[in-house]
Each structure stands twice: as structure tokens, then as C-alpha cells.
Amino acid sequence: MKMKKKNLKVQVAALAMTGAMVAIPMNARAEEVNPASAATTGTMEVAAEAATGVTSGAAAETATGAIAGVVAEAGTGATVATAPGAGTASGREGAVVTVEEAAVDPGTTAPNNVNTVLSEDQKQGTDISTHADITRGGQARPVIHVDTTVTAEDAKGEKTIVESHPGVEDNVITRLKNKDVVLQGDLSIKKDESTEAYDSTNTAAHPVNKEDSYSLKADLDVSPVTNAINASSGIIPGSNDIFVNNLETGLRSTFTLGDDLEGSFHLPTDLEDAKKHYELSSADGNPMIYRINYGKSSFSKKKVSLVMDLDLTQMKPLAKQGSDENAANERIYGKDPVTGKAYPIENFNPSPATGRHATTSVFGNLQELINNSAQKIQLVMKGLKINATSSNRVETETETEKNISTEGSIAGTLVGYMKSDLWYVYSSGNTSYVWGAVQNDAGRDKVSGQGNDKVLLTVKMNTVEPKSNPVQPVNPAQPVNPVNPEQPAQPVIPVTPETPVVPAPPTNPSIGGTSNGGGGRSSSRVTVSTVSNAPSNPGIVLGESRPTASTLGGEVLGENRETPVAETVEKKQGTVLGESRPSVNGVSDRATVATGDYNFTGLWASLFGISLASLAGFVVLQKKKEN
């Protein structure tokens, strides 16, 4: 009897620790329908995004599966919920779009209330809560009570749970390393329909262009759930027969564009469009036991929340576990490869009234389910547009353009929960796990992911702007300084000629003078007096000062001209009309003006003088002849 009690206590403890972990990875499949509330097919779940940007939708789930909010049927199969003051289905900030999806067979899934249990997306680490008590004999006695939290900081080291939490019982579960019970995630990106590999930017920001459309991928490691399940199986022999019922589990992954990134996620128009752009798949080749519940998911321009339910329809046939003598010959999940008949599906929620599948709702079958399912899963979101980024701005310039480099970030989260009831003979209890993924260290973003454990991705955008500076004109060639022109030779100033001696007028001969033969006529001499017409203040008479010629024939041209001496003329600044006209001394202004010759005015005056003297002589001779 004592041995049985001891075994019972160990079994209950194992069930408490393992049953909880078992359900952790179950992401879920269809819309949750539990016996207490049947969701009406075709109703729409609408998440009204709060001002803080956190989706609060499923927190107020009603019997119809709808969530309070302002609902507008779009006619395309998509529904838009608009928070007060927000935009519409066009994708402006605040508009939340959901799609209709019919409920699935509740026997192929498990209830999922993740939106109620975890209203926040920022949870990181794992919360463990396990309570089991012996109820035999009418008095409850504790078997195991564990309440502890493994933080994101704990998960960085090599310590075990019990080493980090001395108050926790030392067993095969608490001897696991902290990092082995915390989920991990990583983000990567590439162009839509591109054959290039996804870039997780673990060394540098990924370059993007606003003209392109991108696919965002989240790699999620749920193997920590399997680690705990397998460890717990070794607590006692026969742990396969511990009953697990009232299982609830679910995951939610949220992706948000940072404040430094302007862009938008794809907003689906109906269920098929949502399935095309948001996909969940296995990353290691093992069957998926999760599906996206599109009816509970929400889509907006800056934020997408994808709820994942347990989906048992894709699991391959597994051998039944437990002490049942026929267990080895029975199969659960999948189909008979010969007949095509479907095997029973165990969802660890047997009917209280009929006890349906009660013999298969045991820990052994749950362990087989988890071990044979995908340990690494991936979410792919297509149609992401990135229009602009704004942080870490760097500018470089050339002569013709300016290059501007900026960065932006995208954040991802994975939160989930699991809880179940445990029972074995005279003991009962419950277990609960709540967790939040941390950044996978191998894919840590070296830009945005430094110094934190958040799942982050950094993108980089380059824009080129032509310079608006005007083209500088080419400097014109400087004119060559002109050579100073030679100064013209100053005209020779002639020496003023001496005033010539005026010859005495000739004496007229006597009229009737002595004849050659006589004739007795006496000669009488008539004296002609010269009347002077000279003015009282005589000036220079043309030719008056002409020098006496050296010969009787007259003066030789220029004979008496003295060599002129140049007169220094003061140089004036600027050009004055007539400035360079030379000044001539000793020459009548009338002669200068009459001839227009400034260089030989003296010569011209002499010529005029000779002409006048000849004319005067001619007149005298004519008069003499007449007399």
C-alpha cells in the first residue's frame, strides 16, 4: 500500500510537469468550439485594434464567435473593424480586417483561448505552474506545487532551472537548462517570388526598394516543448497511463512595422486570399499539428496577428500507447493505408458523458504525438510593401547627386499557452505553461537586435536625389592687357618768323621830264605819296613776317624754316573731345582753321604770303603800266 502511494505521488508529479509541456507546441487548427459554447459557422470574428496598437479582439469572445466592434461587411468575404477615429478597409492606420472561416470538427482540435489568456504580445520566457494533490482518504495532501518563471535572461546562460531557482524541487524537469524550455524565433526577408535565399540580416540590414513586394518569414523553434515531454517520461515507469484531459492550447504570432518604417502588410479580401498570402508550414519535414485560424486572426496596415490552433488531421498513423493489451495493434491519427479508413483522433478532451477516447487520452499518446510532429515551423507572409525608412540616416554626396541611406525595423513575437487537467487513481491536479519566444541567437540581428532579446529584422533603403545646385559657368578667359599705344610724335612747333622789312614804295618818275632831244619842255617831277591804310593796332598781316629770301628768284620752300622743338604736353586722364589736338604756337588761328593742317601750318602761311605778295606786285605793275 505504501509503495502504491509513493508511485502515485511520482506519477502525479510527472503528469503535472509533462502534461503541461506536452501541449505547449500545439499551435492549433480550427476555430475553437468547446462543449459550453458552440460557435456559429459563418460568423465573423473582428479584432478592434486599440489605440496602443495591441489587438484586443478575442478577449471578449461571444457565443457566436464574434468580437465586439464596429463591423462592416465588405461583400468580398472580408470584414473590417474600425476603431474610433480610425481608417477604413483601404489599409489606413487603425483599420483591422478579418476573414470568415467555418468552424472545424471539434474532435480534430483543442480549445484555443490564447487571445484571452495572453492579451499582450511582449511576453518572453516561460512560466511554469504545476499543482498536484492526493485526494484519497478525504484529505488533500500536496504531491507537487511548482510556480516559477524562466526569463529571457535566464535562457542566455548554461544554468539549469533548479540552479536558477533554488526553491524549485530537484527532478528531471528542473534539471533541464533554462534555454532548453524557452521557445525561439527569427525573422528573415526576400522579394516575392524570388529564388534568392531568405536573409535574416544577422550581419547587416537587408536592402529593400519601395517598388518591390516582399515576403517576411518567421522561423519558430518549438522543440523546447518536446524536451520537457521526453524528460518527464522518465520519472516513473508506467507514466504512459496518466490521464490528460481538458487540454487547451494555442499560439499567436504578431508582426509589427516599426515607427521608423512606412509600409503595409497585405490586407486579404477573403479566406482564399488570406491563405495565399499567409502560410504556416513545417520546416523540418515532419507533419504539422498546427494551422492558422484565419477567423481569429487580424490584419491591418501596420500589424498582423496570426492565431494558430492544434490540428490533428495531418498527423500520420501512430501506434496506441498505454497498458491496454490491445494497444500495440491499434492506431490513432491518419488513415489505414489499405482501406483508406480514418483511424481515431485523440484530442485529449474526452466527452464527460460518453468517455469517448478515454483509453487513448493518456500521456503516452501525447508524447508520441509531440515527438512525431514538426519541431521547427515557419510562417510566411507575402505582399509586404516597404515605402520608406527613417532611422540611422546617412548622407553622402557627389558632384551631381545626394545618396541617402535610412533603416527601418520589423518586430515579431510568438506567445502561447497550454493547460490541462491530470488524473491518476487517487490523485488529481492541473498544470499550466505560458511562454513567449526570444530571439534565436544564431540569427540575431546585428543592427536592431543588439542588446535585447526581441525578434527583430532590420531593412535598409537607399534613395538618390539629384542636386539642384546651378551649374557654375566656366570662368571666361581674362582679356590680355592691351599694349599701351605709342604716343604720336608731337608736332614740331615752328619758330615764329621774323617780321620782314617792308620795302620802300618806288618813286614815280617825273612827268614831262628832260627829253632826249630837248623840245624845250622842262621836266616836272610829281611825288606820289603812299597812303598808309594800316590800322591803329595792327596785327600780323598774312606774310608780313616772312623772312627775306636768299635769292632774287624767291625763297626756296622751307629754306628759312628752323628746326622745331617739341613742346611737352601734359598727359590727361580720360578722353576729352579734341584733347589730343596739338597746340601750335606762332601761327594764326585763321591759317590753322583754313588749312586743317596742324603739322605744317607755318608752311601754309608762307605759301599764302607768297601768293599775296605776287598779287600785290602784279597790281603795282599793272598800275604802272597804265600810267
Side-chain angles (χ1 to χ4, degrees):
M1 189 70 177
K2 291 182 179 180
M3 179 63 69
K4 288 183 179 180
K5 287 185 177 181
K6 182 177 181 180
N7 290 342
L8 176 61
K9 291 173 67 177
V10 175
Q11 287 176 341
V12 171
L15 177 60
M17 294 301 294
T18 60
M21 292 299 291
V22 172
I24 292 177
M26 301 181 182
N27 240 23
R29 175 190 158 112
E31 175 159 357
E32 170 192 339
V33 179
N34 57 46
S37 61
T40 302
T41 302
T43 59
M44 198 58 213
E45 182 175 302
V46 179
E49 188 167 347
T52 60
V54 178
T55 302
S56 59
E61 189 169 355
T62 65
T64 63
I67 297 178
V70 181
V71 181
E73 290 265 351
T76 61
T79 302
V80 179
T82 306
T88 64
S90 61
R92 292 194 296 270
E93 190 78 16
V96 178
V97 175
T98 59
V99 296
E100 293 184 359
E101 184 178 27
V104 300
D105 181 355
T108 63
T109 185
N112 179 7
N113 293 305
V114 67
N115 286 341
T116 302
V117 176
L118 281 160
S119 60
E120 297 292 332
D121 295 316
Q122 305 307 316
K123 168 67 178 176
Q124 289 189 302
T126 301
D127 298 336
I128 302 173
S129 178
T130 300
H131 299 263
D133 300 298
I134 295 176
T135 58
R136 185 179 180 182
Q139 183 178 1
R141 295 186 300 275
V143 176
I144 184 172
H145 285 185
V146 174
D147 291 284
T148 190
T149 296
V150 178
T151 66
E153 194 66 25
D154 293 337
K156 293 179 181 179
E158 297 295 326
K159 288 185 177 182
T160 64
I161 297 174
V162 69
E163 288 174 340
S164 300
H165 306 84
V168 176
E169 180 181 341
D170 185 0
N171 56 48
V172 293
I173 299 295
T174 59
R175 290 177 197 145
L176 289 171
K177 292 183 178 181
N178 291 303
K179 65 181 182 181
D180 292 336
V181 296
V182 176
L183 305 185
Q184 297 183 357
D186 186 34
L187 293 178
S188 54
I189 192 172
K190 74 169 187 175
K191 289 182 183 179
D192 278 339
E193 312 304 330
S194 172
T195 57
E196 65 180 340
Y198 279 94
D199 179 11
S200 67
T201 70
N202 61 346
T203 56
H206 182 79
V208 294
N209 302 308
K210 66 179 181 179
E211 296 83 7
D212 296 321
S213 178
Y214 292 88
S215 293
L216 182 68
K217 185 179 74 168
D219 290 291
L220 307 173
D221 184 356
V222 295
S223 63
V225 175
T226 305
N227 295 337
I229 293 297
N230 290 335
S232 64
S233 66
I235 293 179
I236 60 167
S239 61
N240 284 353
D241 291 327
I242 297 175
F243 288 101
V244 179
N245 56 16
N246 296 328
L247 174 68
E248 286 186 24
T249 187
L251 298 172
R252 183 179 69 244
S253 218
T254 302
F255 305 92
T256 308
L257 303 184
D259 293 336
D260 55 1
L261 191 151
E262 179 184 339
S264 62
F265 290 102
H266 176 77
L267 301 181
T269 57
D270 54 27
L271 179 59
E272 292 306 313
D273 189 45
K275 290 180 177 180
K276 179 180 177 181
H277 287 86
Y278 297 91
E279 302 173 350
L280 176 64
S281 62
S282 170
D284 60 12
N286 292 319
M288 282 294 303
I289 60 172
Y290 311 95
R291 66 175 290 273
I292 296 176
N293 186 330
Y294 294 98
K296 284 188 175 182
S297 301
S298 61
F299 310 88
S300 67
K301 177 180 177 181
K302 298 278 287 186
K303 180 179 179 180
V304 168
S305 292
L306 301 175
V307 174
M308 292 167 278
D309 294 342
L310 178 65
D311 179 14
L312 301 173
T313 63
Q314 304 302 314
M315 177 50 64
K316 63 185 180 180
L318 299 176
K320 180 182 175 181
Q321 304 295 309
S323 59
D324 188 341
E325 59 183 10
N326 295 320
N329 298 322
E330 296 182 13
R331 298 287 183 273
I332 56 177
Y333 307 119
K335 295 180 180 181
D336 188 318
V338 178
T339 64
K341 182 180 178 180
Y343 292 126
I345 293 177
E346 176 54 61
N347 69 345
F348 308 97
N349 277 279
S351 170
T354 64
R356 183 172 71 108
H357 304 313
T359 59
T360 57
S361 297
V362 294
F363 173 74
N365 287 329
L366 187 58
Q367 183 181 7
E368 279 294 290
L369 176 67
I370 299 302
N371 277 296
N372 286 279
S373 66
Q375 305 299 301
K376 297 183 185 299
I377 62 177
Q378 60 185 22
L379 278 167
V380 175
M381 293 144 281
K382 300 179 181 179
L384 172 63
K385 297 290 292 184
I386 301 175
N387 301 323
T389 53
S390 59
S391 64
N392 297 331
R393 182 184 179 96
V394 177
E395 295 185 7
T396 56
E397 295 187 18
T398 65
E399 293 183 356
T400 59
E401 63 187 21
K402 177 190 293 185
N403 189 297
I404 303 173
S405 172
T406 52
E407 295 175 355
S409 60
I410 304 173
T413 64
L414 172 64
V415 297
Y417 85 107
M418 168 273 168
K419 68 178 183 178
S420 65
D421 292 333
L422 311 173
W423 176 83
Y424 189 75
V425 189
Y426 300 109
S427 296
S428 63
N430 57 72
T431 185
S432 173
Y433 281 76
V434 177
W435 67 93
V438 299
Q439 170 65 50
N440 179 289
D441 195 58
R444 184 178 298 278
D445 193 322
K446 293 299 187 294
V447 182
S448 295
Q450 292 300 294
N452 63 74
D453 300 301
K454 296 181 179 179
V455 182
L456 291 169
L457 176 80
T458 307
V459 295
K460 182 178 183 179
M461 182 172 285
N462 289 323
T463 56
V464 178
E465 297 179 356
K467 283 189 175 180
S468 59
N469 296 335
V471 179
Q472 296 296 330
V474 178
N475 292 331
Q478 295 297 327
V480 179
N481 293 329
V483 179
N484 292 330
E486 295 181 1
Q487 295 295 329
Q490 295 298 327
V492 177
I493 302 175
V495 178
T496 303
E498 298 179 0
T499 302
V501 178
V502 180
T507 301
N508 291 329
S510 299
I511 300 174
T514 304
S515 63
N516 293 331
R521 210 172 26 183
S522 62
S523 63
S524 64
R525 187 179 183 91
V526 179
T527 302
V528 181
S529 59
T530 302
V531 179
S532 174
N533 294 323
S536 60
N537 184 21
I540 299 174
V541 180
L542 184 62
E544 175 184 14
S545 300
R546 182 177 180 187
T548 304
S550 60
T551 62
L552 294 178
E555 179 188 7
V556 179
L557 183 60
E559 173 185 10
N560 295 316
R561 185 177 182 183
E562 296 182 4
T563 303
V565 178
E567 183 181 272
T568 302
V569 180
E570 180 183 357
K571 185 177 180 181
K572 299 179 180 179
Q573 298 296 326
T575 303
V576 181
L577 184 61
E579 173 195 10
S580 60
R581 196 168 185 179
S583 175
V584 181
N585 294 330
V587 180
S588 171
D589 289 341
R590 291 177 59 190
T592 301
V593 175
T595 63
D597 190 338
Y598 288 86
N599 295 323
F600 300 100
T601 54
L603 176 60
W604 286 106
S606 300
L607 292 176
F608 278 122
I610 294 171
S611 298
L612 291 175
S614 299
L615 180 59
F618 176 78
V619 172
V620 172
L621 291 175
Q622 284 295 107
K623 285 184 178 182
K624 186 175 181 181
K625 184 178 179 180
E626 290 176 0
N627 292 333

